[in-house]
Amino acid sequence: MALMITDDCINCDVCEPECPNDAIYMGAEIYEINPDKCTECVGHFDEPQCQQVCPVSCIPFNPEFRETKDQLFAKFELLQAAKA
């Protein structure tokens, strides 16, 4: 499943540059995650990098976007192909 950023976000700017898929962007008030680009870092890292650097732990899994590791890897491959 994709990740999401909760209202606890303090806009510290540390998560956005950590995302290898450019899924994190500044929303109207807080950072947001585009679920179509979020692979939970599958294909890049063993753990979601945004979760690792977030100082307030406001990046949980998004229950509306449930995906298996295989689905996340397939999304990663599509995103990589689009970059090529």
Side-chain angles (χ1 to χ4, degrees), residues 24-43:
I24 300 175
Y25 62 96
M26 182 51 135
E29 294 185 27
I30 60 171
Y31 280 94
E32 297 181 23
I33 297 178
N34 178 343
D36 294 331
K37 290 184 172 184
C38 180
T39 63
E40 298 175 28
C41 290
V42 168

Side-chain angles (χ1 to χ4, degrees), residues 9-15 31 53-56:
C9 177
I10 59 172
N11 292 328
C12 66
D13 304 322
V14 298
C15 62
Y31 280 94
V53 299
C54 181
V56 293

Side-chain angles (χ1 to χ4, degrees), residues 1-5 33-40 60-69 71-72 75:
M1 70 180 61
L3 300 169
M4 61 185 278
I5 298 176
I33 297 178
N34 178 343
D36 294 331
K37 290 184 172 184
C38 180
T39 63
E40 298 175 28
F61 294 102
N62 188 336
E64 294 181 23
F65 295 94
R66 296 179 183 262
E67 297 166 295
T68 65
K69 291 286 183 190
Q71 290 171 315
L72 291 168
K75 187 191 308 185

Side-chain angles (χ1 to χ4, degrees), residues 46-65:
D46 292 334
E47 297 179 3
Q49 297 301 288
C50 59
Q51 284 182 328
Q52 298 301 308
V53 299
C54 181
V56 293
S57 300
C58 69
I59 308 176
F61 294 102
N62 188 336
E64 294 181 23
F65 295 94

Side-chain angles (χ1 to χ4, degrees), residues 69-79:
K69 291 286 183 190
D70 289 338
Q71 290 171 315
L72 291 168
F73 191 76
K75 187 191 308 185
F76 159 77
E77 289 179 321
L78 286 172
L79 291 169

